[in-house]
Amino acid sequence: IIGRKTFLYTPIYTIPHGWESSMKEALMLFGNSTLEKGNLERTLEDFLPWDDLHWNIFYSMKDNVRTDFKAVAQEVSVTSSTVKRHFYEAVLPYCNVSHYFFPKGYDYYNQSFIIIKSDYEKGLVDSLCKLPCTSYVYPLEEELILSIFHEGINDLMKAFQKMEEAGYIKNYLLLVPLAYW
């Protein structure tokens, strides 16, 4: 199959708890996890009920949510109290806020994409918290795409092999970029 059609559901960004562990240790813990059966709930966000003002506030603040409301107000030609009210009541509730964490800096790690089929999706995603870095999870209709940051592909492959041998993973496809531009 060269291409196929599927829904992309609301992404999940893990909060890493293994940041004090070495990557090798964390991947060993991840690979040896005991998982409970259960799939993730898949949700699709509705269309945004925003008008032009909401979009203008979003675009003004999307790169830095700490932007002063007064500066945004000048940019979008309303008062700062209007910006504040619309931001908290209409814009922020529709945003998926993620907190990325990379103890050695984002550029230090390798990134691999894994397409996975499992009846243990919840446990698998919960176990990603054992890693020292944030992982990205993109639920599709029948599988997950995981974006995992690591220091060595061999350790990552061993962890997934252990999970497959334990029966937690039906199958997976590991995609490793050969070079970053």
Side-chain angles (χ1 to χ4, degrees):
I1 294 177
I2 293 176
R4 62 190 160 125
K5 189 174 179 179
T6 183
F7 284 107
L8 173 62
Y9 293 91
T10 303
I12 299 165
Y13 305 96
T14 64
I15 298 173
H17 298 285
W19 57 271
E20 290 183 304
S21 302
S22 73
M23 183 63 76
K24 188 176 191 94
E25 293 170 337
L27 283 168
M28 284 178 57
L29 287 172
F30 171 73
N32 291 321
S33 295
T34 302
L35 307 181
E36 289 187 34
K37 202 170 195 174
N39 288 325
L40 294 174
E41 181 180 324
R42 280 150 167 82
T43 59
L44 282 174
E45 299 295 333
D46 284 333
F47 291 102
L48 295 174
W50 291 353
D51 59 27
D52 288 344
L53 176 60
H54 299 120
W55 282 107
N56 291 339
I57 292 169
F58 172 78
Y59 285 122
S60 181
M61 299 181 77
K62 71 179 178 87
D63 292 327
N64 183 0
V65 76
R66 294 181 184 153
T67 303
D68 186 57
F69 291 137
K70 288 180 186 178
V72 176
Q74 286 179 331
E75 189 177 325
V76 300
S77 302
V78 294
T79 66
S80 61
S81 62
T82 299
V83 169
K84 181 178 180 179
R85 187 177 79 251
H86 284 272
F87 178 75
Y88 285 117
E89 293 175 7
V91 176
L92 190 58
Y94 286 94
C95 295
N96 289 326
V97 179
S98 58
H99 303 280
Y100 306 115
F101 184 73
F102 303 96
K104 296 179 181 178
Y106 180 84
D107 292 334
Y108 177 83
Y109 299 96
N110 298 313
Q111 183 179 16
S112 291
F113 298 92
I114 302 158
I115 301 171
I116 187 168
K117 278 194 172 193
S118 173
D119 292 328
Y120 297 83
E121 292 175 348
K122 281 184 183 179
L124 181 69
V125 171
D126 289 344
S127 292
L128 288 171
C129 293
K130 295 177 180 179
L131 301 179
C133 300
T134 299
S135 297
Y136 312 153
V137 180
Y138 303 100
L140 303 177
E141 288 178 88
E142 297 178 4
E143 55 204 355
L144 302 176
I145 296 176
L146 308 178
S147 178
I148 298 182
F149 295 83
H150 57 88
E151 294 176 16
I153 193 63
N154 291 335
D155 293 331
L156 183 65
M157 289 174 66
K158 284 178 192 173
F160 275 88
Q161 184 178 5
K162 284 184 179 186
M163 288 197 154
E164 186 178 39
E165 289 169 358
Y168 297 133
I169 295 173
K170 290 180 184 178
N171 60 50
Y172 66 96
L173 174 63
L174 177 62
L175 305 165
V176 181
L178 297 177
Y180 292 96
W181 301 96

